[in-house]
Amino acid sequence: EEIISQVETIDVREPAEFNGALGHIRGAKLIPLGELKQRAGEISRDKPVVTVCRSGARSAQAVVMLQKEGFRDIANLHGGMLRWRAEGYGAEGGN
C-alpha cells in the first residue's frame, strides 16, 4: 500500500473495465489508451509512473507512448489486473 502512494498509477483500460469485475488499484487514475497521448499532461512527472491494463498488453503500449512524450521513470505492470488479483492484492470495486 505504501509503495502505491509513491508512484502514479495510470489505468489505460476503458471506463467499463475500470469499474468492472476486476476493479482497479486504489488511487489509480483512469486514462484510456486511446486518450493517453492527448492527456499526458495530466500525469505527474515528479514521481515514477506505472501503467496498468487487464493483462499487460495495452499498458506495455502505454509505456512506449509515454516514453515518446518524454517520460523516463515509467514501468508496465506485467500481467495487469488479472495477475494483480490472482496474487491476492486488493482492488477497489470489482467482485
Side-chain angles (χ1 to χ4, degrees):
E1 293 290 323
E2 270 189 37
I3 298 290
I4 294 298
S5 66
Q6 293 168 20
V7 301
E8 174 134 43
T9 306
I10 304 299
D11 194 313
V12 298
R13 296 175 297 165
E14 295 302 311
E17 295 176 278
F18 186 80
N19 298 309
L22 286 172
H24 54 268
I25 295 171
R26 187 168 63 83
K29 180 182 289 187
L30 175 65
I31 305 180
L33 187 62
E35 301 173 18
L36 192 62
K37 195 170 160 86
Q38 305 92 292
R39 294 179 60 190
E42 297 175 32
I43 302 169
S44 172
R45 291 177 184 263
D46 299 331
K47 50 184 169 177
V49 174
V50 177
T51 59
V52 184
C53 68
R54 180 175 179 274
S55 67
R58 280 173 288 177
S59 50
Q61 291 179 294
V63 166
V64 174
M65 288 171 73
L66 290 173
Q67 284 172 333
K68 287 180 179 168
E69 295 298 313
F71 287 83
R72 291 286 163 258
D73 203 356
I74 183 162
N76 174 25
L77 182 69
H78 292 283
M81 286 302 296
L82 290 171
R83 179 174 166 203
W84 181 266
R85 294 299 298 267
E87 293 189 2
Y89 295 109
E92 292 194 332
N95 302 324

